[in-house]
Amino acid sequence: MDILKRIAEYRDREKKLVWEGTFADYLDIVKENPQVVQTAHSRVYNMIAKAGVETDSQGNKKYLFFSRELFGLDRSIERLVEEYFHSAARRLDVRKRVLLLMGPVSGGKSTIVALLKKGLEHYTRTDEGALYAIKGCPMQEEPLNLIPRELRPELEREFGLRIEGNLCPSCRFQLKEEYNGRIEDVPVVRVLFSEDDRVGIGTFSPSDPKSQDIADLTGSIDFSTITEYGSESDPRAYRFDGELNKANRGLMEFQEMLKCDEKFLWNLLSLTQEGNFKAGRFALISADELIVAHTNEAEYKSFIANKKNEALQSRIIVMPIPYNLKVSEEERIYRKLIHQSDLADVHIAPHSLRAAAIFTILTRLKESKKQGVDLLKKMRLYDGESVEGIKDIDIQELQNEFLDEGMSGIDPRYVINRISSALIRTDANFINALDILRSLKDGLDQHPSITPEQREKYLHFISVARKEYDELAKKEVQKAFVYSYEESAKTLMDNYLDNVEAYCNWQKIRDPITGEELEPDEKLMRSIEEQIGISENAKKAFREEILIRISAYARKGKRFDYNSHERLREAIQKKLFADLKDVVKITTSTKTPDENQLKKINEVIARLVEDYGYTPASANELLRYVGSLLNR
């Protein structure tokens, strides 16, 4: 990579985005593309929509703008986009509200805001997101605000748009004194949002309430210019550099908003309701911006308990952002955090992050009152796994059972910290699930917010995660012992289905070698069905159920395969592994393997490395561990 060449290319791209003309030139742009006059909320929504939307079979939407960085929050994001951004973009009343993201630590609130900021910076550099402002305006004022109110209705009808704001004091003075009221001569430039340059994106972080100055939000008087301009009400003597000024037409992040003194927050009342705010000795200043704040549940409850805050409460839209509740998505979160850290080059054995994710998700779930659904089944359902006897509609009921599910539990950063601790303590060049679970267990004593009751509960969840990993580990090794596992499973299933079809239809099976017609192989069918507890009395109903499922798939033009029936797949797996168990047990547990056993072990290790993502050391450790499990 030639970095100097890339820098030059970047500089050229930025130069091509520069545009300057008169107000008359800008009117031509508006005639051609009225979209450039969109509101701040509309700009944010269009930016999100442009990135793409995917809809699943249940009608749930996934917004790609967020999904590349945030995992497992699709329901919360869909609600945020549909109920707030989409409605606000259509000028409904929610745009006159502060957006408050509420959720637990490390739940994704800050990431959502960071994505919106970064997205706006990029979006204003595209043709769809281009916006223009009066040159020299400290608030990047919409040029159409130059048009007197009496003339606006006619222009709005002609162009199919709406003009809402008033000129800021600086532009009003400039129009009168420098251009003698000649609006058509006022220069207009293209604006590129930048958080670093404080253009269109502002960030406010509260300090000590006693020393907090409202000037941080609304700007302040430049006392060094008073003698020159003679009055505090002269716009030239005022610095329009508060966060509300700089975020005009874009977004302002209000960090830890609820930690501010309530008197300080009163300045947001007129901004949210009327779209303006008071600054210095000027008339109300128009502002079109999206204000996003974030907080945790405890602070929000304290805020709403204070009667003095009732006026502001009615001007806030609260969007809960709970923790992710899907194991597979939690794994993605860990991989992302690991990739961002110095741990990226360390080998973490397969299923290690899944074991940690199982523990973490269990700490966030609430016990369902629905009969037959324990936390483990609930966890699997949430992760998209099929659980026998529970239909899709039940999942929706489970998700709606507790509105605050996911608002508590173990956070991802705690898990990453414990993974780091496990890495420091190991002498090997890898860590596995047992190392991580052990580190998670040790860390519970150091966790400041965990009560003794919670600790006991979490220790149980670590034990559950360990058992889940044990099953995964055994299956992994048994698959590695079976050469071409998927092919063996498919062959066994096809053989079973042929016999089931003959049995249900009162037919015989033709031997493929001798051509002889034989009765269905009852011994084979029962050896598979017994693996999942199908009794002699229940075998006929089970076989008919399989045949009905095959028929249903055929009508829909779909092929019935190894993964089409959860219980049958489990039975096939168990049958294969049962036949192989003794071989695995003897081979993995022998302290001094003979030549044939050693050859088999080396073949299995090679397969674990090539096909399953292990290193030779972690594969060898896995074999030893599974050997100990099978000997218990």
Side-chain angles (χ1 to χ4, degrees):
M1 175 183 175
D2 187 342
I3 186 62
L4 296 180
K5 181 181 178 182
R6 297 296 298 271
I7 290 172
E9 290 171 352
Y10 171 80
R11 188 168 54 244
D12 290 341
R13 285 198 303 271
E14 290 291 296
K15 283 181 181 177
K16 289 178 181 177
L17 297 174
V18 174
W19 181 91
E20 182 172 343
T22 64
F23 179 77
D25 297 325
Y26 176 63
L27 272 185
D28 291 336
I29 292 175
V30 174
K31 286 178 183 177
E32 187 175 333
N33 180 23
Q35 184 75 7
V36 297
V37 193
Q38 61 188 324
T39 64
H41 290 83
S42 177
R43 185 172 296 108
V44 170
Y45 174 73
N46 289 334
M47 169 188 75
I48 294 169
K50 183 178 181 293
V53 186
E54 292 179 352
T55 306
D56 64 19
S57 57
Q58 281 79 43
N60 301 312
K61 294 181 179 178
K62 175 185 280 191
Y63 288 90
L64 302 183
F65 178 85
F66 296 101
S67 65
R68 297 183 183 97
E69 291 289 330
L70 291 165
F71 309 117
L73 295 180
D74 293 342
R75 292 183 78 219
S76 300
I77 294 296
E78 181 180 359
R79 182 183 172 194
L80 172 65
V81 175
E82 294 299 321
E83 293 186 18
Y84 184 79
F85 290 125
H86 195 182
S87 300
R90 297 190 171 209
R91 299 179 189 267
L92 294 173
D93 215 42
V94 294
R95 75 188 181 110
K96 298 178 180 179
R97 306 285 185 271
V98 174
L99 174 61
L100 179 64
L101 305 178
M102 181 187 69
V105 295
S106 301
K109 305 184 297 296
S110 299
T111 304
I112 289 173
V113 181
L115 287 172
L116 292 173
K117 288 179 176 180
K118 186 178 178 182
L120 278 172
E121 289 186 344
H122 173 73
Y123 189 59
T124 56
R125 285 164 168 76
T126 65
D127 293 340
E128 297 89 346
L131 77 154
Y132 301 82
I134 298 170
K135 185 178 181 180
C137 175
M139 294 180 60
Q140 52 276 346
E141 190 84 64
E142 165 59 57
L144 292 185
N145 290 350
L146 288 161
I147 297 174
R149 285 198 170 274
E150 292 79 4
L151 303 180
R152 289 182 182 182
E154 188 177 343
L155 183 74
E156 289 174 347
R157 284 193 299 272
E158 182 179 346
F159 288 3
L161 47 80
R162 289 173 64 179
I163 309 168
E164 295 181 335
N166 295 322
L167 282 180
C168 73
S170 178
C171 290
R172 187 178 297 277
F173 180 89
Q174 188 182 15
L175 176 63
K176 182 179 179 182
E177 298 298 328
E178 293 186 31
Y179 299 100
N180 200 28
R182 288 184 57 81
I183 294 172
E184 60 270 32
D185 295 336
V186 175
V188 174
V189 294
R190 181 173 178 178
V191 175
L192 305 176
F193 282 175
S194 168
E195 183 176 14
D196 293 337
D197 295 333
R198 298 183 72 220
V199 177
I201 299 174
T203 303
F204 180 81
S205 184
S207 57
D208 183 357
K210 295 178 181 178
S211 62
Q212 191 80 64
D213 190 351
I214 191 60
D216 294 340
L217 280 178
T218 61
S220 60
I221 298 167
D222 186 352
F223 288 101
S224 66
T225 62
I226 295 296
T227 53
E228 181 181 352
Y229 299 121
S231 171
E232 292 182 11
S233 60
D234 190 312
R236 293 170 297 177
Y238 196 87
R239 293 196 298 263
F240 295 92
D241 60 356
E243 296 303 324
L244 294 179
N245 306 104
K246 292 301 181 180
N248 187 38
R249 304 184 72 198
L251 177 150
M252 189 192 87
E253 178 187 9
F254 207 135
Q255 295 178 348
E256 304 297 342
M257 185 181 85
L258 302 186
K259 288 181 179 176
C260 285
D261 185 78
E262 64 264 15
K263 294 177 183 177
F264 191 80
L265 296 176
W266 289 347
N267 294 278
L268 298 177
L269 295 178
S270 65
L271 176 62
T272 53
Q273 192 61 36
E274 308 298 335
N276 52 46
F277 62 90
K278 191 78 172 71
R281 298 183 178 180
F282 303 107
L284 291 169
I285 299 175
S286 295
D288 169 31
E289 56 196 81
L290 167 64
I291 299 178
V292 187
H294 39 87
T295 188
N296 59 49
E297 195 171 10
E299 284 179 354
Y300 178 69
K301 287 180 178 177
S302 176
F303 172 75
I304 60 176
N306 188 346
K307 295 296 182 183
K308 294 181 181 179
N309 296 325
E310 286 184 350
L312 189 57
Q313 285 176 38
S314 65
R315 291 169 171 82
I316 291 177
I317 292 284
V318 180
M319 283 290 167
I321 307 295
Y323 283 132
N324 156 60
L325 297 176
K326 295 182 178 180
V327 171
S328 56
E329 296 296 294
E330 190 73 10
E331 285 186 79
R332 294 181 69 191
I333 293 172
Y334 298 158
R335 288 196 185 95
K336 172 190 168 185
L337 293 174
I338 289 169
H339 182 72
Q340 293 171 349
S341 71
D342 294 334
L343 307 175
D345 296 330
V346 178
H347 176 67
I348 299 176
H351 307 303
S352 301
L353 296 182
R354 183 169 185 81
I358 288 170
F359 159 72
T360 309
I361 298 301
L362 288 173
T363 68
R364 299 172 185 171
L365 296 176
K366 290 183 177 288
E367 292 275 3
S368 175
K369 296 174 184 175
K370 196 171 180 65
Q371 189 175 5
V373 180
D374 57 21
L375 283 184
L376 210 52
K377 285 183 179 178
K378 189 176 188 180
M379 179 194 78
R380 290 189 175 119
L381 285 168
Y382 278 9
D383 203 35
E385 295 182 38
S386 58
V387 177
E388 202 70 28
I390 299 177
K391 301 175 182 177
D392 291 343
I393 191 170
D394 295 322
I395 299 174
Q396 297 293 331
E397 291 175 9
L398 286 172
Q399 290 174 332
N400 296 328
E401 191 175 4
F402 302 103
L403 297 178
D404 62 340
E405 189 170 47
M407 297 299 279
S408 61
I410 294 294
D411 67 278
R413 296 196 188 281
Y414 169 78
V415 177
I416 295 300
N417 291 341
R418 299 316 302 166
I419 291 175
S420 303
S421 178
L423 283 167
I424 292 168
R425 281 189 278 175
T426 184
D427 295 327
N429 59 354
F430 70 92
I431 59 172
N432 58 28
L434 299 181
D435 297 320
I436 294 176
L437 291 176
R438 193 179 300 115
S439 184
L440 288 169
K441 180 181 178 182
D442 294 342
L444 292 179
D445 293 329
Q446 306 164 23
H447 203 295
S449 61
I450 291 179
T451 64
E453 293 78 13
Q454 283 178 315
R455 184 180 181 278
E456 288 304 311
K457 192 176 180 181
Y458 289 176
L459 286 174
H460 170 66
F461 291 151
I462 288 175
S463 176
V464 172
R466 167 80 177 266
K467 289 176 182 175
E468 289 292 298
Y469 171 70
D470 288 352
E471 291 304 311
L472 287 170
K474 284 189 283 187
K475 286 180 181 178
E476 194 96 303
V477 169
Q478 288 165 331
K479 281 183 181 181
F481 265 86
V482 180
Y483 182 72
S484 186
Y485 169 80
E486 293 294 334
E487 187 177 330
S488 300
K490 181 181 180 299
T491 301
L492 182 58
M493 191 195 75
D494 288 344
N495 196 358
Y496 173 78
L497 293 179
D498 287 343
N499 282 277
V500 164
E501 189 174 1
Y503 170 86
C504 292
N505 294 327
W506 299 86
Q507 295 174 344
K508 292 187 177 183
I509 288 182
R510 186 178 296 277
D511 188 297
I513 298 173
T514 65
E516 183 184 359
E517 288 193 339
L518 304 170
E519 294 292 331
D521 191 339
E522 185 66 22
K523 185 177 179 182
L524 170 72
M525 290 187 286
R526 291 301 295 143
S527 70
I528 292 172
E529 292 158 358
E530 285 170 351
Q531 300 295 328
I532 51 172
I534 302 295
S535 67
E536 184 71 25
N537 293 333
K539 68 180 185 182
K540 186 173 185 294
F542 180 76
R543 293 170 188 176
E544 288 173 347
E545 178 195 326
I546 296 293
L547 213 58
I548 290 169
R549 183 76 64 91
I550 293 172
S551 176
Y553 268 63
R555 283 199 305 273
K556 295 176 183 177
K558 294 164 66 178
R559 186 175 178 276
F560 186 90
D561 61 22
Y562 174 63
N563 294 306
S564 299
H565 194 284
E566 178 70 22
R567 296 190 72 201
L568 179 58
R569 181 179 66 184
E570 183 186 351
I572 296 291
Q573 275 185 349
K574 287 185 174 181
K575 170 61 178 169
L576 277 175
F577 296 161
D579 294 344
L580 194 68
K581 185 176 180 180
D582 289 339
V583 176
V584 177
K585 182 177 177 180
I586 294 168
T587 307
T588 56
S589 59
T590 303
K591 292 182 180 179
T592 54
D594 59 31
E595 186 179 342
N596 288 334
Q597 289 172 333
L598 192 60
K599 182 182 177 183
K600 186 66 177 177
I601 288 173
N602 289 333
E603 287 176 356
V604 170
I605 288 176
R607 200 163 296 135
L608 287 169
V609 172
E610 292 171 13
D611 299 340
Y612 297 98
Y614 290 84
T615 61
S618 62
N620 200 40
E621 183 70 24
L622 176 72
L623 284 180
R624 282 205 298 268
Y625 179 63
V626 170
S628 70
L629 288 177
L630 294 175
N631 275 302
R632 288 177 186 174

